[in-house]
Amino acid sequence: MLSWPSASKKTKYRELIQQLENRANEHYRNINAPTGAFYGTIRFVETGIASVDRPDRADGGYRPVIIDNDGREVGNLNTSLVSSLKLSIIMAIVSANKTRNYASFYPLISDAPVSDFDVVKAMTFFKETANTFRQSIVIVKELLVADTDRVGRYKPDLTRLRELQTDLMAAGKTLNVYQLDMPDGVSNSFRSEIEVSIQKVDC
């Protein structure tokens, strides 16, 4: 005999999904809207709808999709939209649980999250991350420029870093920047000789 969840539990579950969807869209919009490009809306779609004759379809799952202004699912999403979709959902899990203080317990630690973003979108992502998490550690290469004094080396893009720092300070956030650097003359061809130094960058 099948035991079906109570109507109140189903309703509460759907309310939580809707809350997560709403919060994910806030982050998604904040990251994408300033770029001026199409980004659509996040929708959580049930992966199975149960019925009396087909109870096996009820897996209780949802999948995120992007819908356009006509409510149609958008296929063949570019990597930039997929990345911002996933990051927005991660942010929503934290921000939708403010009463549990998730932001204090779960910092964002990410490697190259903006590798698919343009300059504007990368900056909006950094701002949204700072506004969502109490602490985050993000590894990026997009805030570097070629070092004209060193062959094959890069240095921090201080102009963009100062812009970001100013925006974050206005929001009461602190930006700490560290550069991972290798000595001159060393390349990936001589991996046994690679040394990486970590230097604090003064913005």
Side-chain angles (χ1 to χ4, degrees), residues 13 16 54 63 91 98 109 137 139 169 179 184 192:
Y13 182 59
L16 292 173
R54 287 294 306 276
R63 65 183 180 91
M91 290 181 181
K98 286 185 175 179
I109 302 176
I137 301 173
I139 300 175
M169 286 178 63
Q179 181 183 9
D184 292 336
S192 61

Side-chain angles (χ1 to χ4, degrees), residues 103 106-109 129-130 132-137:
Y106 300 102
L108 175 68
I109 302 176
T129 298
T132 304
F133 297 89
R134 294 224 176 149
Q135 181 183 27
S136 57
I137 301 173

Side-chain angles (χ1 to χ4, degrees), residues 11-174:
T11 300
K12 186 63 178 176
Y13 182 59
R14 290 194 178 100
E15 287 176 357
L16 292 173
I17 294 297
Q18 187 61 55
Q19 180 184 5
L20 186 64
E21 181 183 292
N22 292 341
R23 193 57 63 91
N25 272 299
E26 290 179 20
H27 295 296
Y28 187 67
R29 183 169 53 252
N30 290 342
I31 293 172
N32 287 285
T35 67
F38 167 82
Y39 58 93
T41 304
I42 297 174
R43 178 74 53 81
F44 290 150
V45 178
E46 288 186 81
T47 56
I49 302 175
S51 61
V52 175
D53 58 331
R54 287 294 306 276
D56 57 299
R57 293 187 62 191
D59 59 14
Y62 287 79
R63 65 183 180 91
V65 300
I66 300 297
I67 60 171
D68 61 19
N69 294 334
D70 296 321
R72 295 174 299 194
E73 182 177 343
V74 180
N76 298 319
L77 296 173
N78 62 44
T79 53
S80 177
L81 285 180
V82 171
S83 295
S84 59
L85 164 67
K86 293 177 180 178
L87 290 165
S88 296
I89 293 173
I90 292 171
M91 290 181 181
I93 292 170
V94 171
S95 62
N97 285 278
K98 286 185 175 179
T99 57
R100 298 183 181 181
N101 201 23
Y102 277 13
S104 295
F105 301 116
Y106 300 102
L108 175 68
I109 302 176
S110 184
D111 181 12
V114 299
S115 58
D116 300 317
F117 295 172
D118 62 20
V119 173
V120 174
K121 193 168 179 175
M123 297 294 273
T124 56
F125 165 76
F126 293 136
K127 295 172 190 175
E128 193 67 9
T129 298
N131 289 328
T132 304
F133 297 89
R134 294 224 176 149
Q135 181 183 27
S136 57
I137 301 173
V138 181
I139 300 175
V140 297
K141 60 176 174 47
E142 286 72 18
L143 295 176
L144 296 173
V145 292
D147 191 337
T148 55
D149 296 325
R150 305 170 63 198
V151 178
R153 294 293 180 263
Y154 295 84
K155 61 183 179 181
D157 185 342
L158 294 179
T159 300
R160 289 177 60 197
L161 284 173
R162 286 171 184 149
E163 176 189 341
L164 180 59
Q165 184 181 53
T166 300
D167 290 340
L168 296 186
M169 286 178 63
K173 305 293 182 178
T174 301

